[in-house]
Amino acid sequence: MYIAKVVGMVVATRKEEDFVGKKLLIVQGINEKEELLGLPEVAVDAVGAGTGEVVLITKGSAARSVFGKPSSAIDAAIVGIIDSLEVNK
Amino acid sequence: MYIAKVVGMVVATRKEEDFVGKKLLIVQGINEKEELLGLPEVAVDAVGAGTGEVVLITKGSAARSVFGKPSSAIDAAIVGIIDSLEVNK
Amino acid sequence: MYIAKVVGMVVATRKEEDFVGKKLLIVQGINEKEELLGLPEVAVDAVGAGTGEVVLITKGSAARSVFGKPSSAIDAAIVGIIDSLEVNK
Amino acid sequence: MYIAKVVGMVVATRKEEDFVGKKLLIVQGINEKEELLGLPEVAVDAVGAGTGEVVLITKGSAARSVFGKPSSAIDAAIVGIIDSLEVNK
Amino acid sequence: MYIAKVVGMVVATRKEEDFVGKKLLIVQGINEKEELLGLPEVAVDAVGAGTGEVVLITKGSAARSVFGKPSSAIDAAIVGIIDSLEVNK
């Protein structure tokens, strides 16, 4: 999993049925200083996250498992809202 | 998933049967300013996308699920056409 | 798998059930000089690791297998504590 | 999938049985100007490709599906020979 | 798959049962001039490889298939020893 910030959302009228009724949020990895890292991704929200929140992202078949349907078009999901980070490098 | 722009297409006469009759589009990740990011990929179109459109890409077994055949040579698919992006970094 | 250092931990009250009661550690890849490499990730601890320890990370469905539940939201796990590294480049 | 050029081949006498009798080609991603991108990989040929040809690469379990054996040591395959690319960035 | 050099090994007393009795080798991708590329990884040896040898690495569920146990903590394996490389870029 990785730590990300929700930086936006996507509106798509024409899409696979698996996405209907789900929030498609734009997320980007961050470090402990909340600096953005890597490339943005789109993750389906499973925990009621919103823009600006620091969240936990899971990918691949792990992301599908969250929505109770092993075969679906989903390959990334928001699976936690992070309250705090403790980092000692 | 990630946000990409359709930048072209591929013509391949000799190919695996799973690709026959499908559109193989060249896509490249973009940010909210539509600047191209990362490396180009080839995705199978599932939603009727065309060159220049901003789309949603899914990868791995999620991409296969879209075509109703769990075992196939497909590892990336276009699963949505994006109408708009809202980004607040 | 890759070699990482445990650099911190994550506290998340709202999260998928698969993470309840598990330690979510922040890990980052290192080389043989223990210099940090790549981007940080979050891995579920399976071996009793703590901050500052050098560990072995596995990803994807391999990470899920460790917790005896093939379908879960986990996509990375700490599966070993490294006693020593021998490197000859 | 991604577009690659076949840049070489690998000879390995001692190898997993799944590779016996198969061509192990070295491929590297290219852009529309045929400039090499990213890192080289080794893919098993499924379509009769040769050095210098522009091909389509699939990865992960998609690559295994091509050889009709769901469980094998193969994680990348050449699944098409590209006749032409049309790119409008 | 990718071409790598075995650059070391890992000793880990506390580890998942799937690794017991197996050699955990540190590998790093190389090009045709044997220059090291990308980040080091840890792969389980399936072919009797040793330090300094040029090997073939497979990842994900392909790596697990090699050890005859579909569900395990292994996500990378050494599946061939490379005798020679032929490269024409």
Side-chain angles (χ1 to χ4, degrees):
Chain A
M1 289 77 66
Y2 69 93
I3 301 165
K5 194 172 204 164
V6 180
V7 296
M9 64 173 294
V10 154
V11 179
T13 313
R14 201 157 13 135
K15 61 184 175 244
E16 275 301 305
E17 215 187 294
D18 298 318
F19 298 114
V20 174
K22 294 198 173 68
K23 247 193 304 179
L24 287 167
L25 298 178
I26 307 174
V27 298
Q28 191 164 354
I30 56 169
N31 61 16
E32 72 277 10
K33 295 169 196 143
E34 298 206 6
E35 292 164 341
L36 299 171
L37 306 173
L39 299 179
E41 291 198 293
V42 176
V44 177
D45 179 34
V47 290
T51 300
E53 280 188 295
V54 176
V55 296
L56 192 65
I57 305 294
T58 200
K59 296 193 68 175
S61 48
R64 276 189 290 291
S65 83
V66 169
F67 301 97
K69 203 184 144 193
S71 173
S72 93
I74 296 169
D75 74 356
I78 300 178
V79 291
I81 295 182
I82 295 177
D83 303 317
S84 65
L85 296 178
E86 238 174 78
V87 176
N88 302 286
K89 282 197 189 173
Chain B
M1 289 78 65
Y2 69 94
I3 301 165
K5 194 171 204 165
V6 180
V7 296
M9 64 174 293
V10 153
V11 179
T13 313
R14 202 158 12 136
K15 61 187 175 242
E16 274 302 304
E17 216 187 294
D18 298 317
F19 298 114
V20 175
K22 294 197 173 68
K23 247 192 306 176
L24 288 167
L25 297 178
I26 307 173
V27 297
Q28 191 164 354
I30 55 169
N31 60 16
E32 71 277 9
K33 295 168 196 143
E34 298 207 5
E35 292 164 340
L36 299 171
L37 306 173
L39 299 179
E41 291 197 294
V42 176
V44 177
D45 180 34
V47 289
T51 301
E53 280 187 296
V54 175
V55 295
L56 191 65
I57 306 294
T58 200
K59 297 193 66 176
S61 48
R64 275 189 291 293
S65 83
V66 170
F67 301 98
K69 205 186 142 191
S71 174
S72 93
I74 296 169
D75 74 356
I78 300 177
V79 290
I81 295 182
I82 295 177
D83 303 317
S84 65
L85 296 178
E86 238 174 80
V87 176
N88 303 288
K89 282 197 188 173
Chain C
M1 289 78 65
Y2 69 92
I3 301 164
K5 195 171 203 164
V6 180
V7 296
M9 64 174 293
V10 154
V11 179
T13 313
R14 201 154 17 132
K15 60 185 176 242
E16 275 300 304
E17 215 187 294
D18 297 318
F19 298 114
V20 174
K22 294 198 172 68
K23 247 192 305 178
L24 288 168
L25 298 177
I26 306 173
V27 297
Q28 192 164 354
I30 56 169
N31 60 17
E32 71 278 9
K33 294 167 196 145
E34 298 206 7
E35 292 164 340
L36 299 171
L37 306 173
L39 299 178
E41 292 198 291
V42 176
V44 178
D45 179 33
V47 290
T51 301
E53 280 188 296
V54 176
V55 295
L56 191 66
I57 306 295
T58 200
K59 296 194 67 176
S61 48
R64 276 190 290 292
S65 83
V66 169
F67 301 98
K69 204 185 142 193
S71 174
S72 94
I74 296 169
D75 74 356
I78 300 178
V79 291
I81 295 182
I82 295 177
D83 303 317
S84 64
L85 296 178
E86 237 174 79
V87 177
N88 302 286
K89 282 196 188 173
Chain D
M1 290 78 65
Y2 69 94
I3 301 165
K5 195 171 203 164
V6 180
V7 296
M9 63 175 294
V10 154
V11 179
T13 312
R14 201 156 15 134
K15 61 185 174 243
E16 275 302 305
E17 215 187 294
D18 298 317
F19 298 114
V20 174
K22 294 198 173 66
K23 248 192 304 177
L24 288 167
L25 297 178
I26 306 174
V27 296
Q28 192 164 355
I30 56 169
N31 59 16
E32 72 276 10
K33 294 168 196 144
E34 298 205 7
E35 292 164 341
L36 299 171
L37 306 172
L39 299 179
E41 292 198 293
V42 176
V44 177
D45 179 33
V47 289
T51 300
E53 280 187 296
V54 175
V55 295
L56 192 66
I57 306 294
T58 201
K59 297 194 64 177
S61 48
R64 276 190 291 292
S65 84
V66 170
F67 301 98
K69 204 186 143 192
S71 173
S72 92
I74 296 169
D75 74 356
I78 299 177
V79 291
I81 295 182
I82 294 177
D83 303 316
S84 64
L85 296 177
E86 237 174 81
V87 176
N88 303 287
K89 282 197 188 174
Chain E
M1 290 77 66
Y2 69 93
I3 301 164
K5 194 170 203 164
V6 180
V7 296
M9 64 175 293
V10 153
V11 179
T13 312
R14 200 155 16 132
K15 62 184 174 243
E16 275 301 304
E17 215 187 294
D18 297 318
F19 298 114
V20 174
K22 294 197 173 67
K23 247 192 304 178
L24 288 167
L25 298 178
I26 307 173
V27 297
Q28 191 164 354
I30 56 169
N31 60 16
E32 72 277 9
K33 294 169 196 143
E34 298 205 7
E35 293 164 340
L36 299 171
L37 306 173
L39 300 179
E41 291 197 293
V42 176
V44 177
D45 179 33
V47 290
T51 300
E53 280 187 295
V54 176
V55 296
L56 191 66
I57 306 294
T58 201
K59 298 194 65 177
S61 48
R64 276 190 291 292
S65 84
V66 169
F67 300 99
K69 205 186 142 192
S71 174
S72 94
I74 296 169
D75 74 356
I78 300 177
V79 290
I81 295 181
I82 295 177
D83 303 316
S84 65
L85 296 177
E86 238 174 79
V87 177
N88 303 287
K89 283 197 187 173

